[in-house]
């Protein structure tokens, strides 16, 4: 929850990024998924190993976060999905914090020490046999 809340706040501070309109409401306004998307983009990671699109991953984080935040609206999300999106959110928040604290360093320098964190995250998705599709739903990966 803390990492997702941090992403929501950071996404508001980051401002518009390319491609975010796919996360807007039907009325054309930013949503929680928009703020998550901004953070995913700002992190600099290539998320394709765990999702079919950054939009879908942003939706999955936002849906999970909102379901927990608004607990009185129904059943809690699947624990495995919560664990996985929490791992994504924690990694994103760490990377954004590093980007702010070390703005003098480029992506390669920042990521070189954290690549094992990202690889571990991809391994976890693979171990659970899931990826996130464009709608933000956890599904079995397609293909070989």
């Amino acid at each position: 929850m803390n990492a997702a809340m941090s992403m929501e706040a950071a996404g508001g501070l980051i401002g518009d990024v390319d491609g975010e309109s796919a996360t807007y409401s039907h009325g054309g306004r930013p949503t929680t998924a928009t703020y998550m998307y901004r953070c995913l983009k700002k992190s600099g990671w290539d998320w394709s190993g765990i999702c079919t699109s950054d939009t879908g991953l942003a939706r999955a984080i936002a849906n999970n976060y909102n379901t927990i935040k608004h607990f009185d609206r129904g059943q809690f999300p699947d624990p495995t999905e919560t664990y996985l999106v929490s791992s994504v959110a924690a990694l994103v928040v760490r990377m954004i914090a590093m980007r702010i604290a070390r703005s003098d360093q480029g992506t390669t320098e920042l990521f070189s020490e954290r690549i094992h964190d990202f690889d571990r995250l991809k391994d976890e998705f693979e171990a659970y046999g899931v990826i996130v599709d464009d709608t933000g739903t956890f599904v079995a990966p397609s293909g070989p």
Side-chain angles (χ1 to χ4, degrees), residues 51-142:
C51 62
T52 58
S53 72
D54 294 351
T55 301
L57 185 55
R59 287 179 178 138
I61 298 167
N63 291 341
N64 191 279
Y65 166 63
N66 282 325
T67 301
I68 294 170
K69 183 170 122 178
H70 302 288
F71 62 90
D72 57 338
R73 294 183 184 171
Q75 190 171 357
F76 268 29
D78 177 271
T80 299
E81 294 174 9
T82 298
Y83 170 74
L84 292 170
V85 297
S86 296
S87 296
V88 170
L91 180 62
V92 169
V93 169
R94 284 195 309 269
M95 289 311 301
I96 290 173
M98 287 174 59
R99 283 188 175 282
I100 292 168
R102 297 303 313 258
S103 60
D104 61 317
Q105 291 190 352
T107 300
T108 304
E109 292 86 8
L110 287 173
F111 290 170
S112 65
E113 295 180 19
R114 294 290 165 226
I115 194 70
H116 64 280
D117 294 339
F118 189 67
D119 287 341
R120 185 180 58 79
L121 180 63
K122 288 191 298 187
D123 289 345
E124 288 176 348
F125 272 77
E126 187 176 312
Y128 284 108
V130 296
I131 61 167
V132 177
D133 71 9
D134 295 343
T135 68
T137 305
F138 284 78
V139 298
S142 61

Side-chain angles (χ1 to χ4, degrees), residues 7-65:
M7 285 180 72
E8 186 176 34
L13 297 172
I14 290 168
D16 296 355
V17 298
D18 288 340
E20 74 176 42
S21 62
T23 64
Y24 289 178
S25 70
H26 294 296
R29 297 179 47 91
T31 63
T32 304
T34 306
Y35 303 126
M36 303 306 175
Y37 181 85
R38 290 173 180 175
C39 291
L40 291 171
K41 291 308 220 182
K42 182 75 170 177
S43 75
W45 290 111
D46 173 5
W47 299 101
S48 61
I50 62 171
C51 62
T52 58
S53 72
D54 294 351
T55 301
L57 185 55
R59 287 179 178 138
I61 298 167
N63 291 341
N64 191 279
Y65 166 63

